[in-house]
Amino acid sequence: PGALAPVYGLAEAAVGLAFPPPGRGPLIERVHREVFGREGRAEPAGEGEGDGLRFVACGRPLPGYAVRVVGEGGRELPERREGRLQFVGPSATSGYYRNPEATRRLFQDGWLDTGDRGYLAGGDIYVTGRVKDLIIRGGRNFYPYDLEEAVGALAGVRKGCVVVFGTRDRATGSERLVVVAETRQREAERLEDLRCLVRERAVAVLGLPPDEVVLVPPHAVLKTSSGKLRRGAVRELYEQGTLGQGSAALWRQVLAVLWQGIGTRSRHWLATSGERLFAAYAWGMFALLAGVTWTGVVLLPRPAWRWGLVRAAIRAVRVGTGTHLEVEGREQLPPLEQPFLLVSNHASYLDSMALIEAVPRTLGYVAKRELEVPFYSRWFLQRLDTLFVERFDVKRSAEEAAQLASAAASGRSLAFFPEGTFRGAPGLLAFRMGAFLTAAEAGVPVVPVALSGTRGILGGDTRRVRRGSIRVVIGAPLWPEGRDWQAAVRLRDAARERILRHCGEPDLLGGTSTRGE
């Protein structure tokens, strides 16, 4: 037993997602079947406490990954409540190849839907079944696996060739439970005896009989090339009335699949064409206004005119592309005479544009020094009083930190992206200390701002612009409690916690402290 290590992985995560602690061995939990079926609650049951369900602990998320369980409406569920398993992590897929509609359905607020159901307990993931295999009958949820195994063990039934599924009764609108099993029996009397045995086994396992038992000849239960049961395909044949009718039914299914594929490809082509046209339109509008804005910022003599032009151009692009901007908490901003440091999460190239329109103050944006090298970005950003900082040269970074503290102390309000960079996958990275040391040394407050929606419009790993909306939540100012390193650390942790609460993305630090930086 100690040689076994149940794990959890899927192709959408490049296989690996969760592993148990080394050397632990299998951890198998027994829960009350009735409570689980009716309430979705995994209540532990002892060996002598009636008929229980057994689920295997499939390990804990690997470093850098996070897993959650959500119920109806996407609400996150507590421990021991069954729901849909979702995850984020560095090896998560970006979507399906040339299938934006399927990709859209795959993600929810940046979390990837695994298509599995399960619950969390003690840090472990317990996988209970596939979403598409779930059967709801009589107010209870159950999966086909136990009953398929039990029926497959009956004499006269071909083992591994049993499918259990739910299908909607068109007459009553209720869910019907159907058992399909392969057998070599041909005599009517023996077939009826076998149906009775299947019903008895269903009552023993589930506590209720099936609505119909269908006995079919060998090879009528469809499987994949690797031997997995194709429950959906078998249900489709059953609903069409062609289950077990041999090669004619098979060819009808093949033609139906081909026709469905043609329709899917057509819909996909139309959808992607619309997305490409929108992206081309958005980039065209941006390019047109960017040239005018760049020229105006470089030539206009007054800072207020330059900023006015930039805000007008940003608003024109947003309105022209139908992008909704929701801003919450503007009243939290300090008085006009009070300098402050704005810190925000960083998810997209659109973040600065969103902040410029959402925050009605003239801020000195702090940017990486690499943007000072090309003349076109240098001229433009210098005219907007951007401050450039070095990310890798420690000595130069220390000198620039002192300059930033001096600028803040002299009354300038500054804007930082303390993550320093962004990436394609969702998640809040660690915050660098520069902004918070500056605030502590200058004795000015930090205003945390959470951005959400920009990554979905223009992600870090793509140049394709999508339709979407942006939400900006401005938090209450955080004042430093001292001017030393520890004061800056407390300021950083408090700001990050507030941003994490509203940005709608997972914590890539996994809730661990970063005080050792």
Side-chain angles (χ1 to χ4, degrees), residues 25-45:
L27 178 61
I28 301 173
E29 188 169 76
R30 193 170 185 270
V31 303
H32 284 286
R33 182 186 295 272
E34 185 70 17
V35 174
F36 186 82
R38 292 199 178 277
E39 304 177 22
R41 186 160 47 89
E43 181 180 295

Side-chain angles (χ1 to χ4, degrees), residues 342-365:
L342 182 150
V343 296
S344 173
N345 58 305
H346 203 9
S348 168
Y349 292 108
L350 300 178
D351 294 341
S352 296
M353 298 171 65
L355 289 177
I356 288 171
E357 186 178 1
V359 181
R361 299 289 178 86
T362 300
L363 304 174
Y365 281 79

